[in-house]
Amino acid sequence: ALSYGNEDLPYSTTSLVTSDCVTCIEQEDPNRRDEEDDDDAEQGPEVSDQCGRLYEGAGKCESSINLSTSGKTSDANNAACSYINGIQFTKLNGVVDTSSRASRAA
């Protein structure tokens, strides 16, 4: 355990961040019962507001998506392709492998 003086530091032996997943399926409100609920059940699961907002704000590189088969009617969002391609790397035995990078220094 990490310590400062004679005291153990919090989260020095366990992580503050968990790897637990959170569902993005909208959860049914047991206190709400109206005609809208009946329509929701017929349409199937919906994405929660939280996950929808997170996805909308996320950087995307949709250059490889076939829009005609994905059901998406708008143009592909490629605004983050350069960023995403710039941070990709492969680790082999703890060493960063840059041989697959497009731009390399001479």
Side-chain angles (χ1 to χ4, degrees):
L2 296 173
S3 60
Y4 181 75
N6 295 332
E7 306 231 0
D8 286 342
L9 295 174
Y11 305 106
S12 62
T13 57
T14 58
S15 178
L16 176 65
V17 179
T18 67
S19 59
D20 297 339
C21 293
V22 176
T23 184
C24 280
I25 296 174
E26 186 70 49
Q27 300 299 304
E28 184 177 321
D29 184 351
N31 298 320
R32 183 175 152 222
R33 183 74 188 143
D34 57 24
E35 291 176 17
E36 196 173 306
D37 284 341
D38 293 336
D39 292 340
D40 289 347
E42 293 172 9
Q43 293 175 1
E46 298 209 5
V47 175
S48 69
D49 289 338
Q50 176 183 349
C51 290
R53 287 190 308 269
L54 183 62
Y55 177 78
E56 287 300 318
K60 297 172 191 65
C61 182
E62 301 174 334
S63 60
S64 299
I65 294 177
N66 183 349
L67 294 177
S68 62
T69 60
S70 70
K72 190 173 177 183
T73 57
S74 61
D75 294 331
N77 181 342
N78 296 315
C81 289
S82 294
Y83 175 75
I84 292 169
N85 289 330
I87 62 170
Q88 291 178 351
F89 61 89
T90 305
K91 284 189 173 183
L92 300 171
N93 298 325
V95 177
V96 177
D97 178 10
T98 60
S99 62
S100 63
R101 295 193 99 143
S103 62
R104 293 174 59 181

